[in-house]
Amino acid sequence: MTGTSLHPDPWPAPLAPGPVDATVTVPGSKSVTNRGLVLAALAAEPGWLRRPLRSRDTLLMVEALRAMGVGIEEAPSRSDFGAGGPSGGGEAWRVIPAGLRGPASVDVGNAGTVMRFLPPVAALADGPIRFDGDPRSHERPLHGVIDALTALGARIDDDGRGALPLTVHGGGALDGGPVEVDASSSSQFVSALLLSAPRFNQGVEVRHTGETLPSLPHIRMTVDMLRAAGAAVDSPDSGGEPNVWRVAPSALLGRDLIVEPDLSNAQPFLAAALVTGGRVTIPDWPAHTTQPGDALREIFTEMGGSCELTESGLTFTGSGSVHGIDVDLSDVGELTPGIAAVAALADSESVLRGVGHLRLHETDRLAALTKELGALGCDISETSDGLRIRPRPLHGGVFHTYDDHRLATAAAVVGLAVEGVQVENVATTAKTLPDFPELWTGMLGSETAPAGPAVQG
């Protein structure tokens, strides 16, 4: 876990005046937006992303692809849902593929999708592409992508670190073929190779060799989006060999993609309904999706709420009681901070399992949650692969976020029920959820909390 940042004016998390009753429009999915941008950049014809998420992570992806020669234009978007759609304001990006080229420099920030998805793209470029980012990005594992690309014929200079900074010396093409990768520390290693594989001369056969594979829904999302773009993919879900994914070489279609709301970013608002015994509606919740956040319907229902999914969206209602849970979150690890926050307010013990890989995320999320919830009075301890939480009366205090957006939103959830919680660096939520403080206070202060203005940088 990296050290705490110095932000002299922490955000006072508002205490809920009573049960919430609100409709909250959540911006588009980061995972879908960034995968859609990569696939569109590699397509054989221009495409559209409509209602994309505009946040730090997605704007870093846009600027990185532009640096490599891809045209990305902003334009008003026609929308089947009108101007009030999930990304707020009906915006769209038109992506115009071009010959990928260097030299170029890419700032990945601390975005796992950018640092892992783009080196394979850079291997297809003509010229060197240098990758660097925030200090924490140097600590996050990248060896799976580096080693696999090297085995497939790419030339990468990383001074043997298996991490950033690095330079990919693009040769204009990559042979591809079979490769082994241990993706135990991040499913993004697999997704990174699959997304660019249609452009490899031989496609790719990715064989995961590790004992565990976290966040499988994100790999399923990658596979589904590849198929929608015209790629031929053989995967375990379609009857293929376990832990093996094959992508045939092919041209990708330029799509007209409408980005789903980000269901993981809906978590704090659903948690607000659960914690306060209120009701929150998230418009346009998809009936079928590969997003991990869809698991919240089942998890939060088990913790004391109920939900109804209709054509207009998902309505979640709290019962006034919050129960502990024993749950394996290996497929949905990104939900852990929010679930831990709710568990700290429950009436019984919770055990969150299968998330040891969170020690390698934006920060060491297990250590951070243990320290910060513990500082507010919670009896919380790390296990080998997760957390054990025994609720006790909590008190106010400064909740440090370690520049991690999901820690900031988790702190806000605790603050609904505990007076005096102050969130250090709430602005870090702009990584994936622009204007979170405005959305949060809007949820508490009126029936409808519309999305705020898009983040411009």
Side-chain angles (χ1 to χ4, degrees):
M1 182 176 64
T2 55
T4 59
S5 301
L6 295 177
H7 293 270
D9 297 313
W11 180 66
L15 190 70
V20 301
D21 187 359
T23 296
V24 181
T25 297
V26 177
S29 164
K30 177 200 74 173
S31 298
V32 173
T33 297
N34 274 358
R35 282 167 174 79
L37 284 167
V38 172
L39 291 172
L42 296 174
E45 56 193 354
W48 288 89
L49 266 74
R50 303 190 188 274
R51 294 189 285 178
L53 174 66
R54 292 180 59 90
S55 71
R56 188 185 185 214
D57 278 18
T58 61
L59 293 175
L60 285 167
M61 181 69 83
V62 166
E63 291 307 315
L65 290 170
R66 284 175 174 160
M68 286 190 273
V70 178
I72 302 178
E73 301 173 349
E74 300 199 31
S77 171
R78 62 174 176 79
S79 171
D80 295 334
F81 296 92
S87 69
E91 293 182 346
W93 286 326
R94 185 169 185 255
V95 182
I96 305 168
L100 299 167
R101 62 182 184 272
S105 294
V106 169
D107 176 10
V108 310
N110 193 18
T113 50
V114 181
M115 72 178 71
R116 293 171 181 144
F117 291 178
L118 289 189
V121 177
L124 300 169
D126 184 7
I129 311 292
R130 177 172 170 78
F131 292 84
D132 204 351
D134 297 352
R136 173 61 179 174
S137 72
H138 295 184
E139 303 172 17
R140 300 184 68 181
L142 197 53
H143 55 86
V145 174
I146 294 170
D147 293 348
L149 286 175
T150 301
L152 293 173
R155 183 172 148 231
I156 300 176
D157 290 337
D158 69 326
D159 293 332
R161 289 183 302 269
L164 293 172
L166 60 84
T167 298
V168 179
H169 295 274
L174 196 66
D175 283 342
V179 68
E180 294 185 347
V181 59
D182 182 350
S184 301
S185 57
S186 176
S187 68
Q188 289 177 352
F189 294 169
V190 174
S191 288
L193 297 167
L194 299 183
L195 285 167
S196 293
R199 290 281 302 272
F200 298 169
N201 294 337
Q202 302 175 42
V204 80
E205 177 189 278
V206 179
R207 185 176 299 271
H208 167 59
T209 59
E211 294 184 3
T212 62
L213 184 58
S215 303
L216 270 172
H218 277 128
I219 297 180
R220 296 187 188 108
M221 177 187 294
T222 298
V223 169
D224 284 359
M225 293 184 69
L226 276 162
R227 288 173 176 155
V233 185
D234 180 54
S235 69
D237 287 345
S238 59
E241 188 177 350
N243 290 326
V244 177
W245 294 263
R246 297 180 178 90
V247 180
S250 67
L252 292 173
L253 305 174
R255 297 188 61 200
D256 193 329
L257 174 66
I258 298 176
V259 178
E260 297 176 352
D262 194 312
L263 306 188
S264 294
N265 277 340
Q267 180 182 36
F269 305 102
L270 300 182
L274 181 56
V275 166
T276 68
R279 179 178 61 186
V280 168
T281 297
I282 307 293
D284 302 320
W285 192 287
H288 304 285
T289 181
T290 52
Q291 288 192 60
D294 195 45
L296 290 166
R297 292 192 287 160
E298 179 180 350
I299 294 169
F300 277 172
T301 295
E302 186 174 344
M303 296 186 80
S306 62
C307 63
E308 180 183 13
L309 182 61
T310 66
E311 290 185 358
S312 60
L314 179 76
T315 297
F316 189 86
T317 305
S319 63
S321 298
V322 181
H323 309 311
I325 191 171
D326 188 326
V327 61
D328 184 339
L329 299 176
S330 55
D331 277 355
V332 293
E334 66 192 48
L335 304 179
T336 301
I339 294 170
V342 173
L345 302 170
D347 57 15
S348 57
E349 178 178 298
S350 292
V351 179
L352 312 184
R353 307 179 186 276
V355 288
H357 60 286
L358 295 188
R359 295 184 171 98
L360 301 170
H361 274 222
E362 280 82 345
T363 187
D364 180 339
R365 284 179 169 166
L366 300 186
L369 287 165
T370 299
K371 182 176 180 180
E372 300 306 320
L373 288 174
L376 301 183
C378 183
D379 182 358
I380 177 172
S381 57
E382 290 189 55
T383 65
S384 61
D385 70 339
L387 297 169
R388 184 179 300 274
I389 301 169
R390 302 177 180 89
R392 297 192 308 191
L394 303 182
H395 53 77
V398 175
F399 193 108
H400 296 95
T401 64
Y402 309 90
D403 298 324
D404 188 325
H405 56 131
R406 300 211 188 276
L407 285 174
T409 55
V413 170
V414 175
L416 291 172
V418 180
E419 187 172 5
V421 174
Q422 299 181 68
V423 186
E424 173 266 339
N425 191 17
V426 73
T428 194
T429 53
K431 177 178 168 67
T432 61
L433 187 51
D435 303 303
F436 170 73
E438 289 80 4
L439 284 168
W440 197 248
T441 54
M443 172 191 70
L444 295 172
S446 64
E447 288 191 356
T448 303
V455 171
Q456 298 300 316

